[in-house]
Amino acid sequence: MFSGANNLKTLNISSFNTSNVTSMAGMFSDCYSLESIDLTGFDTSNTEDFSEMFRYCYRLKELNLPFDFSKARTIRHMCAGCWNLKKIRLSITSSPVIDNVFGAFQECFRCNIIDIGGLDVSSCSDVQGLFSLLAFKSRNCLVISTEDTKNRILDEDDTFNHELVSWILPGEEIPTVEDKLFSDLYYST
């Protein structure tokens, strides 16, 4: 829909009727100049495919996705190549049937916080590459996740430096790491 809109800087599509949309694949991909997007009110209750939705949105710094992921089948490369993203929140409240998460957060080099607290990867055939190149070099990243999801990712995904990622469970206090309050980043708007 907006894929390749290179000069688009901001977008408010909160009034769009998306209740019957089954695929949002590539919807905002290659929007290189996009700095902010308001997705409040986006109805994703029938959406199955979120692949490459924000791929290569280089200038986005934060993504808050209050989506209904209950019918989601794939989030493959959803945020891949979003180099400047610092915070990602997937507000997953139901147990989705996601079976493809490959590279969802690949190359999110500057990301400090990824909240995937409700993501259940038990039905995924492969979690390899979910965080490919995350926590690149010496940057620390905090991932909010269930214990089962964390353990599966640590067991199967060798595409990122595990030592540079801190893990907490949903609802736990956001820690201070290296004189940087993750809570300041998490709760800031």
Side-chain angles (χ1 to χ4, degrees), residues 82-85 107-111 132-136 139:
C82 292
W83 301 339
N84 287 302
L85 267 181
E107 296 176 350
C108 291
F109 299 131
R110 291 182 175 90
C111 205
S132 179
L133 302 178
L134 184 71
F136 190 67
R139 178 173 295 279

Side-chain angles (χ1 to χ4, degrees), residues 14-165:
S14 58
S15 62
F16 277 32
N17 181 354
T18 56
S19 60
N20 293 317
V21 176
T22 58
S23 176
M24 295 193 180
M27 186 178 276
F28 307 103
S29 67
D30 301 314
C31 289
Y32 307 129
S33 301
L34 188 62
E35 296 173 357
S36 67
I37 185 166
D38 182 356
L39 297 167
T40 309
F42 232 47
D43 183 348
T44 59
S45 58
N46 287 307
T47 307
E48 296 179 9
D49 188 352
F50 292 92
S51 62
E52 301 184 18
M53 189 172 181
F54 302 99
R55 189 172 190 173
Y56 300 125
C57 290
Y58 300 131
R59 295 191 183 197
L60 273 179
K61 291 186 178 159
E62 179 178 339
L63 266 178
N64 185 15
L65 305 176
F67 292 172
D68 179 346
F69 283 96
S70 60
K71 292 187 179 174
R73 304 295 275 161
T74 180
I75 60 171
R76 179 184 53 81
H77 289 126
M78 187 169 80
C79 299
C82 292
W83 301 339
N84 287 302
L85 267 181
K86 293 185 180 193
K87 178 172 45 175
I88 303 168
R89 287 189 205 162
L90 273 76
S91 302
I92 300 174
T93 55
S94 59
S95 293
V97 290
I98 296 174
D99 58 10
N100 189 341
V101 297
F102 183 81
F105 309 109
Q106 179 179 354
E107 296 176 350
C108 291
F109 299 131
R110 291 182 175 90
C111 205
N112 294 108
I113 296 180
I114 298 178
D115 184 347
I116 55 169
L119 180 63
D120 178 1
V121 296
S122 61
S123 63
C124 291
S125 57
D126 183 13
V127 297
Q128 184 76 6
L130 176 64
F131 295 127
S132 179
L133 302 178
L134 184 71
F136 190 67
K137 295 188 180 179
S138 62
R139 178 173 295 279
N140 280 302
C141 183
L142 176 71
V143 177
I144 302 167
S145 153
T146 64
E147 192 71 26
D148 289 341
T149 295
K150 170 188 146 184
N151 290 336
R152 177 140 187 231
I153 290 168
L154 290 176
D155 286 346
E156 297 178 29
D157 189 353
D158 60 3
T159 62
F160 69 100
N161 188 340
H162 294 196
E163 294 175 10
L164 297 176
V165 177

